[in-house]
């Protein structure tokens, strides 16, 4: 619609925004009318109309088998469009049109904003299946007529009331028609069923909807007065009511077809099961986060005990082994801490990598600088946990074996993320590998852990080779799907 309006018409940005607001709401008009809607806007020179949007009804057969958006029609070919645009009124005169042996009643509704007619809605009703209308259909048609008059007067849609049409109730979900005093004139079967689930034992017709709704909802003091007002349809609002064994979502639409409040349209949907599932998911998410939090606390307790034991060791090798274990446990704890703060089992790994860098750099404060470049991005917990251990082992190995006592240098981690793989390079400028070193066979416990995690658990590849100038380069390639 944006492209068509800008290319063919003289409407400005605010006019286009009004048309977007109208199109976001007009599924309701289409369903209540049992008719197709096509929005026509005059071209910049006024010689033609361009169709910029189309809507088919969910409540009846379509009148257009083809997509009409983008069609250009010369002025004069469709007199009803001309009359609605020039006179600013709803035009219903004329005999039905025949399209592919199907009679179609055509009406034109001017779209007004700030006293100007921006375009015309052509309402096309397929008459092939017309029968004696029921009370529901009559209510639908009367409500559609009121909305059409409000559109022609520039009183609908409501600019201050933005609704999510995907989540908002629709006409088929449940409909209640109120008079000017908020008394129910008609309630569709779906609407009545929803109120029965709230605990209503009688019929709705003849009762004040606001008061009946407030009586069914739990007592909330002053809030009840606001609920009475909302359910009476005096203002365009969307809200939820919970009571008995159900939850219903309501949307109130005041009807002012001639500038005077004549009643309201209330659309409603039974969302009991939806809200129940959402609460179950919230409970599940909270439980999972609590589990990660407790695992993190337990791991930190284990790390503290190992650190305490290391301080009591007389052997330097035993002390170093325990300190390595502390860092391994700490790297896993970092992942669980991050998972305890998220809503799913996915983490932003760049923050974890930076914390691992800071933790491992404590081995040689001030001597060796550890840096990260590139982005790991968001990774699943199945990848993040072993990868944090792999980085810990590689950094620890580079700092301990790549540099001698008192030597300085740097260790760089580079992450390159593709669509299916992430490539990680860990490179130092230390003393390099010993002669005849085989990365797939040789190595200490740390490298054995790396091989096991990268190849066995993550399904990736691992290689360690001399750096181009000086030092050692480790290359990891990991699939992003576990």
């Amino acid at each position: 619609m944006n492209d068509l309006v800008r290319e063919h018409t003289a409407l400005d940005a605010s006019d286009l925004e009004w048309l977007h607001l109208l199109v976001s709401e007009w599924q309701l008009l289409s369903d209540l009318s049992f008719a197709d809607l096509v929005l026509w806007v005059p071209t910049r020179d006024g010689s033609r109309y361009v169709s910029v949007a189309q809507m088919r009804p969910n409540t009846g057969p379509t009148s257009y088998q083809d997509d009409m958006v983008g069609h250009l029609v010369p002025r004069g070919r469709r007199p009803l469009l001309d009359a609605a645009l020039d006179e600013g009124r709803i035009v219903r005169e004329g005999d039905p049109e025949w399209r592919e042996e199907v009679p179609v009643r055509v009406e034109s509704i001017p779209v007004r904003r700030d006293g100007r007619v921006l375009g015309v809605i052509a309402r096309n009703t397929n008459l092939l299946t017309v029968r004696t209308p029921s009370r529901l259909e009559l209510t639908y048609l009367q409500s559609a007529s009121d909305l059409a008059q409000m559109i022609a007067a520039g009183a609908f849609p409501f600019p201050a009331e933005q609704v999510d049409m995907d989540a908002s109730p629709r006409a088929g979900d449940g409909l209640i028609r109120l008079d000017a005093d908020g008394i129910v004139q008609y309630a569709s079967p779906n609407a009545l069923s929803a109120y029965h689930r709230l605990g209503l034992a009688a019929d709705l017709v003849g009762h004040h909807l606001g008061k009946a709704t407030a009586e069914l909802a739990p007592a909330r003091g002053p809030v009840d007065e606001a609920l009475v007002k909302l359910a009476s349809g005096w203002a365009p609002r969307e809200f939820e009511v919970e009571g008995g064994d159900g939850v219903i979502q309501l949307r109130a639409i005041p009807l002012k077809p001639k500038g005077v409040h004549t009643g309201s349209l209330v659309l409603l949907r039974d969302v009991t099961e939806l809200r129940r599932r959402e609460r179950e998911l919230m409970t599940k998410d909270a439980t999972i986060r609590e589990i990660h939090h407790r695992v993190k606390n337990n791991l930190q307790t284990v790390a503290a005990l190992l650190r305490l034991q290391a301080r009591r060791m007389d052997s330097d090798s035993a002390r170093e082994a325990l300190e390595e274990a502390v860092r391994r446990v700490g790297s896993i704890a970092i992942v669980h801490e991050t998972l305890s703060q998220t809503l799913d089992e996915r983490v932003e790994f760049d923050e974890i990598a930076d914390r691992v860098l800071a933790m491992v750099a404590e081995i040689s404060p001030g001597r060796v600088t550890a840096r990260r470049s590139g982005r790991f991005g968001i990774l699943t917990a199945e990848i993040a946990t072993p990868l944090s251990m792999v980085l810990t082992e590689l950094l620890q190995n580079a700092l301990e074996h790549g540099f001698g006592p008192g030597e300085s240098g740097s260790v760089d981690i580079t992450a390159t993320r593709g669509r299916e793989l992430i490539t990680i390079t860990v490179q130092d400028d230390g003393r390099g590998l010993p002669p005849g070193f085989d990365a797939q066979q040789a190595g200490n416990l740390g490298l054995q852990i790396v091989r096991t995690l990268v190849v066995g658990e993550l399904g990736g590849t691992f290689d360690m080779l001399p750096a181009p100038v000086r030092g050692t380069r480790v290359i990891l390639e990991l699939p992003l799907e576990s």
Side-chain angles (χ1 to χ4, degrees):
M1 185 166 72
N2 289 350
D3 294 339
L4 290 170
V5 169
R6 290 166 182 160
E7 179 182 356
H8 295 286
T9 77
L11 300 182
D12 58 25
S14 61
D15 295 332
L16 179 57
E17 184 62 29
W18 181 263
L19 294 185
H20 274 293
L21 187 61
L22 172 66
V23 168
S24 72
E25 293 273 24
W26 71 343
Q27 178 71 65
L28 175 61
L29 178 62
S30 178
D31 290 345
L32 294 176
S33 304
F34 307 98
D36 291 75
L37 305 178
V38 180
L39 177 57
W40 296 92
V41 179
T43 57
R44 191 172 287 104
D45 60 4
S47 63
R48 296 181 295 176
Y49 298 96
V50 58
S51 59
V52 298
Q54 180 178 359
M55 178 60 65
R56 291 183 171 89
N58 294 317
T59 51
T62 183
S63 301
Y64 286 107
Q65 299 299 324
D66 300 325
D67 189 357
M68 294 297 295
V69 175
H71 283 215
L72 290 165
V73 174
R75 184 178 173 87
R77 179 175 296 179
R78 300 195 176 182
L80 296 186
L81 293 181
D82 298 338
L85 182 69
D86 296 339
E87 301 173 22
R89 65 179 180 89
I90 299 176
V91 181
R92 296 190 175 95
E93 299 87 353
D95 297 327
E97 297 181 4
W98 287 83
R99 300 174 188 165
E100 299 180 359
E101 300 183 355
V102 175
V104 176
R105 182 174 64 244
V106 181
E107 304 166 88
S108 295
I109 305 167
V111 177
R112 191 183 303 274
R113 173 180 179 265
D114 294 338
R116 296 181 299 117
V117 178
L118 306 182
V120 179
I121 295 176
R123 181 163 56 177
N124 303 265
T125 306
N126 187 325
L127 299 178
L128 195 61
T129 58
V130 169
R131 62 185 186 278
T132 303
S134 64
R135 180 73 187 280
L136 182 144
E137 291 171 330
L138 289 173
T139 303
Y140 272 30
L141 293 171
Q142 179 58 50
S143 302
S145 177
D146 292 341
L147 285 178
Q149 292 184 51
M150 291 170 65
I151 291 173
F156 186 83
F158 307 109
E161 183 66 13
Q162 297 283 349
V163 296
D164 182 0
M165 293 309 297
D166 292 332
S168 184
R170 298 196 176 189
D173 296 324
L175 179 143
I176 297 175
R177 175 77 187 224
L178 308 179
D179 65 10
D181 297 321
I183 305 300
V184 178
Q185 301 297 300
Y186 174 79
S188 71
N190 285 346
L192 195 57
S193 297
Y195 265 83
H196 284 166
R197 192 160 188 178
L198 284 184
L200 181 71
D203 194 0
L204 274 174
V205 176
H207 291 79
H208 190 280
L209 184 65
K211 295 178 181 178
T213 304
E215 290 173 358
L216 295 171
R220 299 175 183 172
V223 179
D224 289 348
E225 298 180 7
L227 182 58
V228 171
K229 198 78 171 177
L230 287 173
S232 299
W234 282 92
R237 292 289 186 274
E238 191 169 311
F239 56 99
E240 285 190 6
V241 176
E242 181 173 358
D245 296 326
V247 182
I248 60 174
Q249 180 185 14
L250 299 98
R251 183 190 177 198
I253 302 174
L255 298 176
K256 301 178 180 179
K258 297 181 180 179
V260 179
H261 181 74
T262 60
S264 303
L265 195 63
V266 178
L267 307 178
L268 64 149
R269 174 189 295 163
D270 185 345
V271 293
T272 305
E273 295 304 316
L274 177 62
R275 295 297 176 260
R276 182 183 61 81
R277 289 195 297 269
E278 287 177 351
R279 287 167 184 165
E280 288 179 351
L281 289 174
M282 290 175 63
T283 302
K284 179 182 177 182
D285 289 340
T287 302
I288 292 173
R289 289 198 299 272
E290 178 63 21
I291 290 173
H292 284 303
H293 182 70
R294 293 188 181 187
V295 170
K296 182 263 297 184
N297 288 344
N298 291 338
L299 289 173
Q300 289 180 338
T301 300
V302 172
L305 292 173
L306 291 173
R307 193 177 294 111
L308 182 62
Q309 186 66 39
R311 292 172 183 169
R312 294 176 178 268
M313 301 299 294
D314 296 329
S315 169
D316 291 340
S317 60
R319 186 183 305 110
E320 290 176 0
L322 287 175
E323 290 175 349
E324 286 182 3
V326 168
R327 285 187 285 273
R328 288 167 184 149
V329 172
S331 65
I332 302 174
I334 291 173
V335 177
H336 283 282
E337 182 180 5
T338 306
L339 287 169
S340 70
Q341 300 169 1
T342 62
L343 295 177
D344 56 14
E345 294 290 287
R346 296 160 62 86
V347 295
E348 178 62 61
F349 196 80
D350 295 306
E351 178 184 350
I352 294 175
D354 291 339
R355 293 181 64 180
V356 169
L357 280 170
M359 180 180 66
V360 177
E362 295 175 359
I363 301 174
S364 57
R367 292 193 302 109
V368 180
T369 303
R371 299 182 296 253
R372 174 183 65 87
S373 60
R375 290 195 70 251
F376 289 87
I378 296 176
L379 299 177
T380 62
E382 292 87 349
I383 298 175
T385 302
L387 181 56
S388 66
M389 285 194 66
V390 168
L391 290 181
T392 301
E393 297 298 335
L394 292 176
L395 289 167
Q396 189 167 283
N397 188 73
L399 294 173
E400 290 185 357
H401 302 288
F403 303 93
E407 293 181 351
S408 60
S410 63
V411 180
D412 296 297
I413 295 179
T414 304
T416 304
R417 181 162 180 156
R419 177 171 296 181
E420 299 179 351
L421 290 175
I422 182 169
T423 302
I424 303 164
T425 303
V426 180
Q427 182 169 317
D428 65 70
D429 56 1
R431 64 184 66 172
L433 298 173
F437 181 84
D438 184 356
Q440 306 304 322
Q441 300 294 331
N444 53 22
L445 175 62
L447 289 181
Q448 292 176 21
I449 292 175
V450 170
R451 282 196 295 269
T452 300
L453 293 176
V454 171
V455 179
E457 186 164 344
L458 295 175
T461 61
F462 161 73
D463 197 11
M464 179 180 282
L465 62 157
V469 179
R470 183 170 183 266
T472 303
R473 173 183 289 178
V474 179
I475 301 175
L476 309 175
E477 285 192 346
L478 308 176
L480 290 173
E481 293 295 333
S482 58

